[in-house]
Amino acid sequence: MTLSPVTAALALCALLLPVSIAGSNIALGLLALALALRWGRDWQRVRAAWSREPALAVLLLYAGAGLLAAAFSDAPAESVRDGIKDLHRVWALGLFVAALALEPNAPLRPALGLSFAAMALYGLAQTAFGTGPNGMMVRAHGFVHPVVYGQQMALAALGGACALLRPAPNASRAPVAALTALVLAALVFNQTRMALLAAFAGLACVALLEPRARRWALAALLLVAAIGAAWEFMPNGGRALSSSFAQYDPRNPHQARWALWNTALRMFQAHPAVGVGPGGYRRLFTLFHPGPLDNEFAWGSAHNLYLHQLAERGVCGALALLALCATLFSRAARAARESFDARALWAVAAVAFLLAMSLTETSFQNEQFSTLLLLIWAWGTVSLR
């Protein structure tokens, strides 16, 4: 089968996004070039797709709120350099919407499946053959930060569950089940606690939209409980679920988030309208939290997307974030209700995962993760455009 340049570039994005941000940016550049070559004859279809996608306008509004906050920060030039990264997300989503308008049936499933499988196997090998300090396990992490890797594996597991619940015509479920088991194993040995809990939140959302999933709700809950229990005994350096709920100890690195959240709230109280500007959390951290926290003096993340945006963008940015989250979720839920399509179900599960994951991470601010999520979302909602 001969692939068009647009289809090939889309598949390359899907193949590289879980692996490398540099590689995926090259793929995005190739996708932009492929679209430019077709602009002359397909510009009306592309413009129609853009006009029918309100998420693009809301994402641009979100980026605008960041730039507004930057203009009123204590260091406008630095904040603008940080805030302008949001335009990368606008660019990526615009490319995905345009490409999928021209090639709605692009073979993204095999590309994503191959990439997730390779990353899962590599991560499992890191744990199996790696040696950590003081006898601790090496967290499976592939080529990215362990938390980003855990989020990727959780998204892959949700995608596998959706494909099993809504299989493609004449498709075998065995390869999908094997891939789902593989990425779940990688998630277990990655040990990102919130990724596991957020994946369960995504699955719970799926169960609300897909009656077939409800029969597996108890099994999913028991699986999460079993993994949580196993983490209590793994040599993981205290990364057990119970460590997050123990009596607060400022010396416990696994409870540092309480101090980070408090610092974000104090920044917001000092600058409620537009915050301290993008990047201001790191820049002003020592002003609002004198002294080290877990041996670090300047933290760049509040480890909660909602509080982080309140601190850096104030009420304006927080409202823009909520509008974006609501748009992404409502559009994906509508697509999942209107069609018996696994990718639409995956899109709404991915947004639910993001909303839960954002309670302890600033996931959407990570370029690699957010671009992958936007690809999954744009692919799953293509029927609406």
Side-chain angles (χ1 to χ4, degrees):
M1 180 179 66
T2 302
L3 299 180
S4 72
V6 171
T7 300
L10 259 179
L12 188 62
C13 287
L15 191 65
L16 293 178
L17 266 171
V19 181
S20 163
I21 185 60
S24 60
N25 279 333
I26 293 173
L28 285 171
L30 292 174
L31 180 58
L33 177 60
L35 287 169
L37 293 175
R38 289 185 59 171
W39 182 260
R41 67 177 188 272
D42 289 316
W43 66 272
Q44 290 180 316
R45 292 170 63 188
V46 172
R47 288 185 59 186
W50 283 341
S51 65
R52 292 172 186 161
E53 187 44 74
L56 273 171
V58 180
L59 186 56
L60 189 60
L61 175 67
Y62 174 75
L67 294 176
L68 175 66
F72 289 95
S73 74
D74 65 307
E78 292 183 33
S79 286
V80 166
R81 283 195 294 270
D82 193 277
I84 206 168
K85 296 175 184 176
D86 288 327
L87 296 177
H88 180 277
R89 286 173 265 278
V90 177
W91 176 62
L93 181 58
L95 291 178
F96 296 150
V97 168
L100 288 164
L102 303 182
E103 306 288 350
N105 297 313
L108 299 188
R109 186 173 310 201
L112 285 168
L114 179 61
S115 186
F116 283 137
M119 285 289 281
L121 286 171
Y122 183 58
L124 289 172
Q126 288 173 318
T127 299
F129 301 109
T131 303
N134 302 320
M136 288 193 302
M137 294 171 56
V138 174
R139 295 175 67 184
H141 58 275
F143 303 104
V144 296
H145 189 279
V147 174
V148 175
Y149 181 88
Q151 293 173 142
Q152 291 176 348
M153 294 299 102
L155 280 182
L158 286 171
C162 293
L164 290 171
L165 290 167
R166 293 183 174 182
N170 303 318
S172 172
R173 293 189 180 186
V176 179
L179 174 61
T180 305
L182 180 64
V183 296
L184 274 175
L187 176 58
V188 171
F189 290 104
N190 166 259
Q191 306 166 41
T192 300
R193 293 162 292 187
M194 195 59 194
L196 175 67
L197 298 178
F200 181 74
L203 192 61
C205 180
V206 167
L208 293 175
L209 295 170
E210 177 53 66
R212 299 181 183 199
R214 295 169 194 169
R215 71 183 72 171
W216 301 104
L218 179 59
L221 181 60
L222 292 175
L223 178 62
V224 170
I227 294 173
W231 279 349
E232 295 294 322
F233 303 100
M234 284 183 180
N236 53 21
R239 296 193 58 78
L241 290 174
S242 62
S243 66
S244 299
F245 302 100
Q247 185 176 358
Y248 179 68
D249 181 357
R251 297 168 299 178
N252 185 347
H254 302 291
Q255 294 181 323
R257 285 181 174 86
W258 298 110
L260 296 174
W261 297 346
N262 181 61
T263 302
L265 285 173
R266 292 176 63 195
M267 288 185 184
F268 166 66
Q269 290 167 355
H271 304 273
V274 292
V276 296
Y281 188 87
R282 176 186 296 276
R283 192 169 58 250
L284 301 178
F285 184 84
T286 54
L287 180 63
F288 288 88
H289 188 282
L293 178 63
D294 191 20
N295 297 319
E296 289 189 40
F297 283 88
W299 286 72
S301 168
H303 282 269
N304 179 301
L305 180 64
Y306 312 108
L307 294 178
H308 188 91
Q309 299 301 52
L310 272 176
E312 292 199 341
R313 307 182 188 208
V315 172
C316 294
L319 290 176
L321 174 64
L322 292 178
L324 175 61
C325 292
T327 302
L328 293 176
F329 186 83
S330 62
R331 295 280 287 168
R334 177 184 166 191
R337 287 193 301 265
E338 292 181 356
S339 63
F340 187 81
D341 192 335
R343 61 183 182 177
L345 198 60
W346 190 17
V348 72
V351 178
F353 172 86
L354 171 68
L355 298 181
M357 193 75 204
S358 296
L359 293 172
T360 61
E361 298 293 337
T362 52
S363 301
F364 195 70
Q365 297 306 108
N366 179 277
E367 187 177 333
Q368 188 167 8
F369 173 78
S370 62
T371 308
L372 174 62
L373 182 134
L374 290 173
L375 174 61
I376 293 169
W377 184 88
W379 188 45
T381 58
V382 68
S383 62
L384 302 181
R385 296 182 293 275

